[in-house]
Amino acid sequence: VYETLPDGVILARTAITVPAIPRYLAAIAEGRAVALIDPELSNQTFMDLVRRYRPAAVVGLDDGGAATLQPPTGYASVTDERVGGLWRRETSLDVLPNTDLAVLLATSGSTGNPKLVRLSRSAVHANALAIADALDGARLPKYWVTAEDLLARRQEGGAPGP
């Protein structure tokens, strides 16, 4: 589904759950940057992020109550059998994200207005390799490394994980 979307970031309103992993991996496999957004974020703050960052698509609308929201101006509501309900941006962007951008993580937002921190593909890749090297095949509980690191390690060569 991601290959048919306009250029830009995929905003994933998603919990860290097993069903969410394929959405994330599919976007990364297509070379898309993914903004991981907590589904518990208020709908108002969520909509502010969509308007501010103008992602190519918003997925994970079934997580956290966003399914009842109407897409903002410039977005169409679409259903895809693989990722479920999504909003697709109908307009193009004047400026596209850097091709090395991999992940955007929302800060806690001490002002109540989260900002997105950029992680490059090269940084995620280097981190995954460093973790795999340090662990040398060890199996650790999930809470010892981030989900992002586990997914990257698996994609980089099947390093064992929990």
Side-chain angles (χ1 to χ4, degrees):
V1 69
Y2 298 109
E3 68 276 2
T4 65
L5 296 172
D7 290 333
V9 172
I10 305 299
L11 192 147
R13 183 172 184 159
T14 187
I16 301 174
T17 62
V18 172
I21 292 172
R23 282 194 300 245
Y24 169 76
L25 291 178
I28 293 297
E30 289 293 325
R32 294 301 190 121
V34 180
L36 301 171
I37 305 299
D38 183 350
E40 300 302 317
L41 196 63
S42 75
N43 284 340
Q44 178 180 343
T45 304
F46 169 70
M47 293 299 286
D48 288 345
L49 284 173
V50 173
R51 288 185 192 98
R52 188 175 346 143
Y53 290 99
R54 297 186 58 219
V58 179
V59 300
L61 294 173
D62 300 330
D63 292 348
T68 60
L69 296 173
Q70 294 298 311
T73 302
Y75 285 82
S77 185
V78 179
T79 300
D80 180 83
E81 64 185 41
R82 294 172 285 178
V83 297
L86 64 97
W87 296 340
R88 174 192 168 102
R89 192 183 67 239
E90 296 293 302
T91 57
S92 62
L93 294 177
D94 295 331
V95 178
L96 296 176
N98 186 302
T99 56
D100 194 37
L101 180 63
V103 178
L104 294 129
L105 296 176
T107 65
S108 61
S110 60
T111 63
N113 189 12
K115 307 294 186 281
L116 297 179
V117 176
R118 298 172 291 209
L119 299 176
S120 68
R121 290 184 196 291
S122 54
V124 171
H125 177 79
N127 190 48
L129 292 177
I131 289 171
D133 185 50
L135 295 177
D136 195 25
R139 295 181 63 87
L140 297 175
K142 288 181 188 177
Y143 56 85
W144 284 23
V145 291
T146 67
E148 175 69 28
D149 295 328
L150 290 172
L151 292 172
R153 283 178 38 219
R154 288 211 185 271
Q155 279 205 318
E156 292 303 327

